Amino acid sequence: MQNNLAELGILNKKEISKFKLSLIKSGINENIRKITTQIGLNTFLKFNFNDIKIPDSKMVFLAIEEANDIYNPILLKHCYRTFFWSSGIALSEGIKTDNELLFIASILHDSGLTDKHNHCCSQQCFANYGGNYAKEFVVKNGMNMNDANVIKKAIDMHLYPSVSRAKFGNEAYLLSKGAGMDVVGSHYFQLPNEFIRTTHNNYSRIDFKEDILRTIKKLKHKENTRADIMSKMGFDKLANKNILDTHF
């Protein structure tokens, strides 16, 4: 039973406390990193929009086809931006990553929120559902199991505000930061302002805040999943204060 709950992303009491603490700690650490960056004690590598390319592979093409089929235009652009934020953070921190796996994880990470799949939310964590869905999709289309598991793990973990690179890998670490940046504005100071503006020009975030808030509110998330806990802890306030919606 315990393993089944873990696979569904339903947290026990200890895990709930740990998750809530991680949300609080991440907010404090985020403010510290932002301040130390602003005063020059913390620096990140520079780059531009053209330094990041969507990988050109059959599997990426198939993932894009699938994303075009299941997402509305607003959520689809969110997934593209998530890839560019995740890749940008990798460049800013000098992290090597498999761009194909990172892109596929990014473009499919919110499949559990789509009209086609959001029935899952009342039964399990939509992130865990999305991880399994993406894994099945890429394996069905010929990807090896090791790479498929990297994608699954990244999507499984993307709701956590802080993911250990050593424990879960670069792709999981980066997807968590990229998704968090797009939804609540965290980590934006790691990326050049012009890069952020160019990404927005290519993948507009118009109406995204209203759409994601409406989506999270209308879905009946299973109790004690991360989406349920985040909603109860004031997710709407964080999303409403996203600096990306006002300064870029």
Side-chain angles (χ1 to χ4, degrees):
M1 181 65 175
Q2 186 63 37
N3 288 337
N4 186 48
L5 292 178
E7 290 171 4
L8 296 176
I10 301 171
L11 308 184
N12 59 37
K13 289 184 179 180
K14 183 177 180 180
E15 291 168 334
I16 290 170
S17 297
K18 188 175 180 179
F19 181 64
K20 288 181 176 180
L21 184 60
S22 73
L23 291 171
I24 295 169
K25 283 185 175 180
S26 68
I28 296 172
N29 291 335
E30 173 79 3
N31 286 329
I32 293 173
R33 283 165 63 87
K34 181 167 63 176
I35 292 171
T36 55
T37 299
Q38 290 172 342
I39 63 178
L41 297 179
N42 197 24
T43 59
F44 297 96
L45 300 176
K46 302 298 182 183
F47 59 93
N48 59 56
F49 183 82
N50 292 327
D51 290 326
I52 297 173
K53 306 291 184 185
I54 294 175
D56 182 15
S57 72
K58 178 183 177 181
M59 195 66 70
V60 164
F61 176 77
L62 292 173
I64 290 173
E65 277 194 327
E66 183 71 5
N68 286 334
D69 180 58
I70 64 175
Y71 289 117
N72 67 42
I74 295 173
L75 199 54
L76 178 64
K77 290 175 185 176
H78 160 64
C79 293
Y80 274 105
R81 291 193 304 273
T82 294
F83 168 70
F84 280 90
W85 305 148
S86 299
S87 297
I89 289 167
L91 292 176
S92 76
E93 296 184 21
I95 297 173
K96 292 183 178 181
T97 185
D98 187 314
N99 285 333
E100 181 183 48
L101 302 186
L102 183 60
F103 178 82
I104 295 171
S106 298
I107 205 70
L108 296 180
H109 81 277
D110 270 349
S111 58
L113 294 180
T114 63
D115 289 342
K116 187 174 182 178
H117 297 285
N118 62 26
H119 60 274
C120 73
C121 294
S122 63
Q123 304 166 18
Q124 65 178 106
C125 177
F126 78 85
N128 288 60
Y129 175 91
N132 285 320
Y133 177 75
K135 178 181 176 179
E136 291 176 4
F137 175 82
V138 295
V139 169
K140 178 182 68 177
N141 286 288
M143 180 173 283
N144 68 74
M145 193 62 68
N146 286 338
D147 286 347
N149 281 328
V150 170
I151 292 171
K152 170 179 162 48
K153 180 57 66 176
I155 296 175
D156 284 351
M157 300 295 296
H158 85 267
L159 292 180
Y160 284 96
S162 180
V163 173
S164 168
R165 285 176 60 198
K167 186 174 181 180
F168 299 108
N170 290 348
E171 288 73 29
Y173 170 82
L174 294 167
L175 182 63
S176 171
K177 296 190 79 168
M181 176 174 167
D182 203 56
V183 175
V184 299
S186 53
H187 321 299
Y188 77 92
F189 51 85
Q190 292 190 216
L191 308 182
N193 289 347
E194 186 58 32
F195 170 76
I196 295 175
R197 285 191 286 267
T198 304
T199 301
H200 284 167
N201 287 338
N202 283 273
Y203 304 100
S204 170
R205 65 184 300 109
I206 292 175
D207 294 329
F208 171 66
K209 178 175 66 177
E210 293 77 11
D211 185 72
I212 196 65
L213 287 172
R214 184 167 55 249
T215 297
I216 294 297
K217 184 176 181 179
K218 76 176 183 180
L219 297 178
K220 295 181 179 180
H221 294 283
K222 179 71 174 177
E223 188 175 10
N224 296 335
T225 58
R226 286 159 291 167
D228 171 61
I229 295 166
M230 291 168 66
S231 295
K232 293 173 179 175
M233 289 185 68
F235 167 80
D236 56 336
K237 294 180 180 179
L238 291 175
N240 272 313
K241 294 192 297 183
N242 190 340
I243 194 171
L244 298 183
D245 292 314
T246 56
H247 288 70
F248 297 96

